[in-house]
């Protein structure tokens, strides 16, 4: 057997100690990542609940705004056979009234 000067044992001990420190750092980073994920999920859940509440409020406001319209219409929906055909509106959304053109006295119509 050869005599060792203790250098191998020292290197082995240092390597083991370094691996233990690296393992603890990795565990701490993993815990931090999990906590960040939990916080993000909690934030996303709160945002989803707020969006649902906002949507419900907008929906009820829209229904409240339509109540007078339903009352004036009688609350019945026309059947497809009795309803008048839809009116076509120009792109600007205003209806126009067509009037016959009048000729001015003395004007000559060019062809």
């Amino acid at each position: 057997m050869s005599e060792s000067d203790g250098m191998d044992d020292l290197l082995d001990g240092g390597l083991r100690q370094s691996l233990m420190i690296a393992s603890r750092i990795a565990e701490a980073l993993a815990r931090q990542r999990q906590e960040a994920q939990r916080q993000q999920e909690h934030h996303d859940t709160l945002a989803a609940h707020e969006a649902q509440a906002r949507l419900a409020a907008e929906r009820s406001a829209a229904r409240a705004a339509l109540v007078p319209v339903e009352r004036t219409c009688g609350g019945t929906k026309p059947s497809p056979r009795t309803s008048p055909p839809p009116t076509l509106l120009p792109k600007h959304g205003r209806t126009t009234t067509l009037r016959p053109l009048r000729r001015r006295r003395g004007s000559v119509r060019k062809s």
Side-chain angles (χ1 to χ4, degrees):
M1 286 196 155
S2 67
E3 294 181 26
S4 80
D5 57 358
M7 210 46 172
D8 288 338
D9 293 336
L10 183 64
L11 287 174
D12 284 345
L15 183 61
R16 285 184 183 144
Q17 192 175 21
S18 298
L19 287 174
M20 289 295 288
I21 291 171
S23 173
R24 288 180 183 169
I25 291 172
E27 286 175 12
L29 290 174
R31 275 189 239 112
Q32 287 177 353
R33 187 175 49 243
Q34 286 176 347
E35 182 62 28
Q37 286 176 342
R38 274 190 228 115
Q39 288 177 355
Q40 184 64 40
E41 287 175 6
H42 180 68
H43 175 72
D44 292 345
T45 302
L46 287 177
H49 285 298
E50 288 175 3
Q52 287 176 348
R54 198 175 319 118
L55 178 65
E58 289 175 5
R59 188 177 291 150
S60 83
R63 285 184 181 142
L66 291 176
V67 166
V69 175
E70 289 177 1
R71 288 182 184 157
T72 58
C73 292
T76 59
K77 294 182 180 179
S79 67
R81 292 181 184 165
T82 60
S83 63
T87 57
L88 299 176
L89 296 176
K91 287 185 180 180
H92 51 76
R94 296 180 295 190
T95 58
T96 56
T97 306
L98 298 176
R99 289 180 270 133
L101 295 174
R102 295 184 194 165
R103 287 191 186 172
R104 294 184 184 165
R105 291 186 185 178
S107 66
V108 179
R109 185 174 181 181
K110 295 180 183 179
S111 305

